[in-house]
PDB file of all heavy atoms in Angstrom:
ATOM      1  N   ALA A 171      16.349  -8.684   8.079  1.00 98.00           N
ATOM      2  CA  ALA A 171      15.767  -7.976   9.209  1.00 98.00           C
ATOM      3  C   ALA A 171      14.433  -7.285   8.556  1.00 98.00           C
ATOM      4  O   ALA A 171      14.381  -7.130   7.345  1.00 98.00           O
ATOM      5  CB  ALA A 171      16.555  -7.013   9.879  1.00 98.00           C
ATOM      6  N   LEU A 212      17.120 -17.526  -0.964  1.00 95.00           N
ATOM      7  CA  LEU A 212      17.201 -18.757   0.033  1.00 95.00           C
ATOM      8  C   LEU A 212      17.841 -19.862  -0.548  1.00 95.00           C
ATOM      9  O   LEU A 212      18.576 -20.597   0.096  1.00 95.00           O
ATOM     10  CB  LEU A 212      15.726 -19.039   0.314  1.00 95.00           C
ATOM     11  CG  LEU A 212      14.885 -17.979   1.054  1.00 95.00           C
ATOM     12  CD1 LEU A 212      13.433 -18.308   1.234  1.00 95.00           C
ATOM     13  CD2 LEU A 212      15.532 -17.757   2.500  1.00 95.00           C
ATOM     14  N   GLY A 223      12.357 -11.905  14.294  1.00 96.00           N
ATOM     15  CA  GLY A 223      11.488 -12.330  13.214  1.00 96.00           C
ATOM     16  C   GLY A 223      10.124 -12.554  13.845  1.00 96.00           C
ATOM     17  O   GLY A 223       9.648 -13.587  14.153  1.00 96.00           O
ATOM     18  N   ALA A 255       4.262  -3.033  29.129  1.00 92.00           N
ATOM     19  CA  ALA A 255       3.196  -2.285  28.561  1.00 92.00           C
ATOM     20  C   ALA A 255       3.507  -0.873  28.436  1.00 92.00           C
ATOM     21  O   ALA A 255       2.910  -0.152  27.631  1.00 92.00           O
ATOM     22  CB  ALA A 255       1.881  -2.430  29.360  1.00 92.00           C
ATOM     23  N   LEU A 274      11.816 -18.880  17.156  1.00 98.00           N
ATOM     24  CA  LEU A 274      12.774 -19.210  18.183  1.00 98.00           C
ATOM     25  C   LEU A 274      12.882 -20.777  18.373  1.00 98.00           C
ATOM     26  O   LEU A 274      13.961 -21.405  18.607  1.00 98.00           O
ATOM     27  CB  LEU A 274      12.395 -18.625  19.623  1.00 98.00           C
ATOM     28  CG  LEU A 274      12.732 -17.117  19.730  1.00 98.00           C
ATOM     29  CD1 LEU A 274      12.003 -16.630  20.925  1.00 98.00           C
ATOM     30  CD2 LEU A 274      14.191 -16.862  19.818  1.00 98.00           C
ATOM     31  N   ALA A 307      33.348   3.294  17.477  1.00 93.00           N
ATOM     32  CA  ALA A 307      34.221   4.387  17.361  1.00 93.00           C
ATOM     33  C   ALA A 307      34.524   4.513  16.031  1.00 93.00           C
ATOM     34  O   ALA A 307      34.609   3.590  15.106  1.00 93.00           O
ATOM     35  CB  ALA A 307      35.399   4.105  18.250  1.00 93.00           C
ATOM     36  N   PRO A 308      35.023   5.673  15.518  1.00 93.00           N
ATOM     37  CA  PRO A 308      35.437   5.893  14.124  1.00 93.00           C
ATOM     38  C   PRO A 308      36.647   4.962  13.810  1.00 93.00           C
ATOM     39  O   PRO A 308      37.355   4.757  14.626  1.00 93.00           O
ATOM     40  CB  PRO A 308      35.692   7.290  13.953  1.00 93.00           C
ATOM     41  CG  PRO A 308      35.929   7.853  15.394  1.00 93.00           C
ATOM     42  CD  PRO A 308      35.109   6.961  16.267  1.00 93.00           C
ATOM     43  N   ALA A 315      41.092  13.125  23.545  1.00 62.00           N
ATOM     44  CA  ALA A 315      40.127  13.669  24.640  1.00 62.00           C
ATOM     45  C   ALA A 315      39.023  14.236  23.813  1.00 62.00           C
ATOM     46  O   ALA A 315      39.163  14.686  22.747  1.00 62.00           O
ATOM     47  CB  ALA A 315      40.885  14.698  25.384  1.00 62.00           C
ATOM     48  N   SER A 320      34.282  26.188  22.335  1.00 43.00           N
ATOM     49  CA  SER A 320      34.812  27.306  23.145  1.00 43.00           C
ATOM     50  C   SER A 320      33.735  27.720  24.054  1.00 43.00           C
ATOM     51  O   SER A 320      32.605  28.087  23.797  1.00 43.00           O
ATOM     52  CB  SER A 320      35.314  28.509  22.208  1.00 43.00           C
ATOM     53  OG  SER A 320      36.256  28.071  21.310  1.00 43.00           O
ATOM     54  N   PRO A 325      34.597  28.164  37.705  1.00 54.00           N
ATOM     55  CA  PRO A 325      33.889  27.106  38.588  1.00 54.00           C
ATOM     56  C   PRO A 325      32.342  27.079  38.428  1.00 54.00           C
ATOM     57  O   PRO A 325      31.859  25.940  38.800  1.00 54.00           O
ATOM     58  CB  PRO A 325      34.350  27.659  39.972  1.00 54.00           C
ATOM     59  CG  PRO A 325      34.514  29.123  39.810  1.00 54.00           C
ATOM     60  CD  PRO A 325      35.147  29.200  38.523  1.00 54.00           C
ATOM     61  N   LEU A 359      20.079  20.185  31.670  1.00 97.00           N
ATOM     62  CA  LEU A 359      19.595  18.837  31.365  1.00 97.00           C
ATOM     63  C   LEU A 359      19.158  18.720  29.872  1.00 97.00           C
ATOM     64  O   LEU A 359      18.383  19.532  29.427  1.00 97.00           O
ATOM     65  CB  LEU A 359      18.218  18.394  32.236  1.00 97.00           C
ATOM     66  CG  LEU A 359      17.661  17.035  32.278  1.00 97.00           C
ATOM     67  CD1 LEU A 359      18.808  16.115  32.832  1.00 97.00           C
ATOM     68  CD2 LEU A 359      16.607  16.977  33.116  1.00 97.00           C
ATOM     69  N   PHE A 387      25.438  11.059  16.620  1.00 97.00           N
ATOM     70  CA  PHE A 387      25.017  11.317  18.036  1.00 97.00           C
ATOM     71  C   PHE A 387      26.186  11.307  18.865  1.00 97.00           C
ATOM     72  O   PHE A 387      26.344  12.105  19.754  1.00 97.00           O
ATOM     73  CB  PHE A 387      24.045  10.198  18.503  1.00 97.00           C
ATOM     74  CG  PHE A 387      23.902  10.256  20.046  1.00 97.00           C
ATOM     75  CD1 PHE A 387      23.000  11.158  20.640  1.00 97.00           C
ATOM     76  CD2 PHE A 387      24.484   9.315  20.898  1.00 97.00           C
ATOM     77  CE1 PHE A 387      22.784  11.174  21.918  1.00 97.00           C
ATOM     78  CE2 PHE A 387      24.294   9.280  22.189  1.00 97.00           C
ATOM     79  CZ  PHE A 387      23.357  10.364  22.794  1.00 97.00           C
ATOM     80  N   LEU A 388      27.206  10.288  18.748  1.00 97.00           N
ATOM     81  CA  LEU A 388      28.271  10.262  19.636  1.00 97.00           C
ATOM     82  C   LEU A 388      29.273  11.392  19.388  1.00 97.00           C
ATOM     83  O   LEU A 388      29.736  11.785  20.377  1.00 97.00           O
ATOM     84  CB  LEU A 388      28.961   8.895  19.517  1.00 97.00           C
ATOM     85  CG  LEU A 388      28.108   7.670  19.914  1.00 97.00           C
ATOM     86  CD1 LEU A 388      28.816   6.318  19.483  1.00 97.00           C
ATOM     87  CD2 LEU A 388      28.052   7.733  21.468  1.00 97.00           C
ATOM     88  N   LEU A 398      28.037  14.731  30.999  1.00 98.00           N
ATOM     89  CA  LEU A 398      27.928  13.467  31.917  1.00 98.00           C
ATOM     90  C   LEU A 398      26.678  12.710  31.416  1.00 98.00           C
ATOM     91  O   LEU A 398      25.604  13.223  31.524  1.00 98.00           O
ATOM     92  CB  LEU A 398      27.804  13.919  33.403  1.00 98.00           C
ATOM     93  CG  LEU A 398      27.629  12.760  34.379  1.00 98.00           C
ATOM     94  CD1 LEU A 398      28.901  11.854  34.473  1.00 98.00           C
ATOM     95  CD2 LEU A 398      27.260  13.281  35.834  1.00 98.00           C
ATOM     96  N   PHE A 408      12.554  -7.527  31.130  1.00 97.00           N
ATOM     97  CA  PHE A 408      12.957  -6.932  29.792  1.00 97.00           C
ATOM     98  C   PHE A 408      14.186  -6.042  29.932  1.00 97.00           C
ATOM     99  O   PHE A 408      15.140  -6.089  29.272  1.00 97.00           O
ATOM    100  CB  PHE A 408      11.771  -6.191  29.259  1.00 97.00           C
ATOM    101  CG  PHE A 408      12.074  -5.536  27.863  1.00 97.00           C
ATOM    102  CD1 PHE A 408      11.818  -6.173  26.744  1.00 97.00           C
ATOM    103  CD2 PHE A 408      12.493  -4.261  27.876  1.00 97.00           C
ATOM    104  CE1 PHE A 408      12.034  -5.713  25.527  1.00 97.00           C
ATOM    105  CE2 PHE A 408      12.788  -3.643  26.654  1.00 97.00           C
ATOM    106  CZ  PHE A 408      12.545  -4.379  25.325  1.00 97.00           C
ATOM    107  N   TYR A 420      29.333   5.218  25.030  1.00 98.00           N
ATOM    108  CA  TYR A 420      29.793   6.354  25.717  1.00 98.00           C
ATOM    109  C   TYR A 420      31.315   6.032  26.157  1.00 98.00           C
ATOM    110  O   TYR A 420      32.153   7.056  26.248  1.00 98.00           O
ATOM    111  CB  TYR A 420      28.956   6.695  27.060  1.00 98.00           C
ATOM    112  CG  TYR A 420      27.714   7.181  26.694  1.00 98.00           C
ATOM    113  CD1 TYR A 420      26.567   6.817  27.357  1.00 98.00           C
ATOM    114  CD2 TYR A 420      27.509   8.362  25.817  1.00 98.00           C
ATOM    115  CE1 TYR A 420      25.204   7.364  27.080  1.00 98.00           C
ATOM    116  CE2 TYR A 420      26.286   8.881  25.505  1.00 98.00           C
ATOM    117  CZ  TYR A 420      25.117   8.341  26.225  1.00 98.00           C
ATOM    118  OH  TYR A 420      23.894   8.914  25.907  1.00 98.00           O
ATOM    119  N   GLY A 442      32.870   3.334  40.586  1.00 97.00           N
ATOM    120  CA  GLY A 442      34.024   4.064  41.056  1.00 97.00           C
ATOM    121  C   GLY A 442      35.264   3.907  40.260  1.00 97.00           C
ATOM    122  O   GLY A 442      36.305   4.617  40.390  1.00 97.00           O
ATOM    123  N   GLY A 445      32.843   4.037  35.953  1.00 98.00           N
ATOM    124  CA  GLY A 445      31.598   4.919  36.025  1.00 98.00           C
ATOM    125  C   GLY A 445      31.130   4.764  37.453  1.00 98.00           C
ATOM    126  O   GLY A 445      31.677   4.317  38.369  1.00 98.00           O
ATOM    127  N   LEU A 447      27.625   3.817  39.733  1.00 98.00           N
ATOM    128  CA  LEU A 447      26.290   3.201  39.848  1.00 98.00           C
ATOM    129  C   LEU A 447      25.427   3.813  40.874  1.00 98.00           C
ATOM    130  O   LEU A 447      25.988   4.019  42.072  1.00 98.00           O
ATOM    131  CB  LEU A 447      26.417   1.746  40.106  1.00 98.00           C
ATOM    132  CG  LEU A 447      27.205   0.888  38.955  1.00 98.00           C
ATOM    133  CD1 LEU A 447      27.481  -0.565  39.525  1.00 98.00           C
ATOM    134  CD2 LEU A 447      26.395   0.839  37.741  1.00 98.00           C
ATOM    135  N   TRP A 455      20.483   8.567  43.509  1.00 98.00           N
ATOM    136  CA  TRP A 455      20.733   9.440  42.329  1.00 98.00           C
ATOM    137  C   TRP A 455      21.521  10.710  42.688  1.00 98.00           C
ATOM    138  O   TRP A 455      22.522  11.143  42.169  1.00 98.00           O
ATOM    139  CB  TRP A 455      19.582   9.676  41.470  1.00 98.00           C
ATOM    140  CG  TRP A 455      19.106   8.586  40.578  1.00 98.00           C
ATOM    141  CD1 TRP A 455      18.026   7.795  40.812  1.00 98.00           C
ATOM    142  CD2 TRP A 455      19.852   8.211  39.428  1.00 98.00           C
ATOM    143  NE1 TRP A 455      17.992   6.909  39.762  1.00 98.00           N
ATOM    144  CE2 TRP A 455      19.029   6.989  38.878  1.00 98.00           C
ATOM    145  CE3 TRP A 455      21.032   8.492  38.866  1.00 98.00           C
ATOM    146  CZ2 TRP A 455      19.303   6.317  37.766  1.00 98.00           C
ATOM    147  CZ3 TRP A 455      21.376   7.785  37.564  1.00 98.00           C
ATOM    148  CH2 TRP A 455      20.665   6.728  37.139  1.00 98.00           C
ATOM    149  N   ALA A 458      25.192  10.031  43.680  1.00 98.00           N
ATOM    150  CA  ALA A 458      26.109   9.705  42.629  1.00 98.00           C
ATOM    151  C   ALA A 458      26.286  10.919  41.727  1.00 98.00           C
ATOM    152  O   ALA A 458      27.428  11.153  41.311  1.00 98.00           O
ATOM    153  CB  ALA A 458      25.560   8.513  41.958  1.00 98.00           C
ATOM    154  N   ASP A 465      33.623  16.408  41.654  1.00 94.00           N
ATOM    155  CA  ASP A 465      35.093  15.930  41.346  1.00 94.00           C
ATOM    156  C   ASP A 465      35.198  15.694  39.930  1.00 94.00           C
ATOM    157  O   ASP A 465      35.254  14.384  39.533  1.00 94.00           O
ATOM    158  CB  ASP A 465      35.516  14.903  42.358  1.00 94.00           C
ATOM    159  CG  ASP A 465      36.996  14.597  42.278  1.00 94.00           C
ATOM    160  OD1 ASP A 465      37.658  15.093  41.442  1.00 94.00           O
ATOM    161  OD2 ASP A 465      37.418  13.864  43.165  1.00 94.00           O
ATOM    162  N   ALA A 473      36.245   8.095  32.998  1.00 97.00           N
ATOM    163  CA  ALA A 473      35.912   7.984  31.568  1.00 97.00           C
ATOM    164  C   ALA A 473      37.106   7.299  30.880  1.00 97.00           C
ATOM    165  O   ALA A 473      36.882   6.484  29.970  1.00 97.00           O
ATOM    166  CB  ALA A 473      35.634   9.373  31.036  1.00 97.00           C
ATOM    167  N   ALA A 476      37.043   3.663  31.523  1.00 98.00           N
ATOM    168  CA  ALA A 476      36.000   3.069  30.782  1.00 98.00           C
ATOM    169  C   ALA A 476      36.397   2.816  29.327  1.00 98.00           C
ATOM    170  O   ALA A 476      36.071   1.815  28.736  1.00 98.00           O
ATOM    171  CB  ALA A 476      34.702   3.785  30.877  1.00 98.00           C
ATOM    172  N   ASP A 498      30.483 -21.506  13.145  1.00 97.00           N
ATOM    173  CA  ASP A 498      31.224 -22.857  13.139  1.00 97.00           C
ATOM    174  C   ASP A 498      30.516 -23.923  13.747  1.00 97.00           C
ATOM    175  O   ASP A 498      30.895 -25.093  13.545  1.00 97.00           O
ATOM    176  CB  ASP A 498      32.532 -22.583  13.821  1.00 97.00           C
ATOM    177  CG  ASP A 498      33.527 -21.616  12.980  1.00 97.00           C
ATOM    178  OD1 ASP A 498      33.255 -21.581  11.773  1.00 97.00           O
ATOM    179  OD2 ASP A 498      34.536 -21.195  13.555  1.00 97.00           O
ATOM    180  N   PRO A 502      26.411 -28.665   8.051  1.00 92.00           N
ATOM    181  CA  PRO A 502      26.207 -28.337   6.716  1.00 92.00           C
ATOM    182  C   PRO A 502      24.627 -28.392   6.315  1.00 92.00           C
ATOM    183  O   PRO A 502      23.935 -28.962   7.002  1.00 92.00           O
ATOM    184  CB  PRO A 502      27.062 -29.459   5.882  1.00 92.00           C
ATOM    185  CG  PRO A 502      27.996 -29.826   6.934  1.00 92.00           C
ATOM    186  CD  PRO A 502      27.274 -29.838   8.226  1.00 92.00           C
ATOM    187  N   GLU A 530       7.976   3.243  -1.504  1.00 68.00           N
ATOM    188  CA  GLU A 530       8.541   4.558  -1.880  1.00 68.00           C
ATOM    189  C   GLU A 530       7.262   5.598  -1.891  1.00 68.00           C
ATOM    190  O   GLU A 530       7.360   6.676  -1.456  1.00 68.00           O
ATOM    191  CB  GLU A 530       9.196   4.529  -3.105  1.00 68.00           C
ATOM    192  CG  GLU A 530      10.443   3.849  -3.138  1.00 68.00           C
ATOM    193  CD  GLU A 530      11.152   3.465  -4.460  1.00 68.00           C
ATOM    194  OE1 GLU A 530      10.503   4.057  -5.476  1.00 68.00           O
ATOM    195  OE2 GLU A 530      12.165   2.972  -4.611  1.00 68.00           O
TER     196      GLU A 530
END
Side-chain angles (χ1 to χ4, degrees):
L212 295 173
L274 287 168
S320 298
L359 193 59
F387 169 79
L388 291 170
L398 177 67
F408 179 88
Y420 287 136
L447 294 172
W455 280 111
D465 191 344
D498 287 344
E530 290 171 1

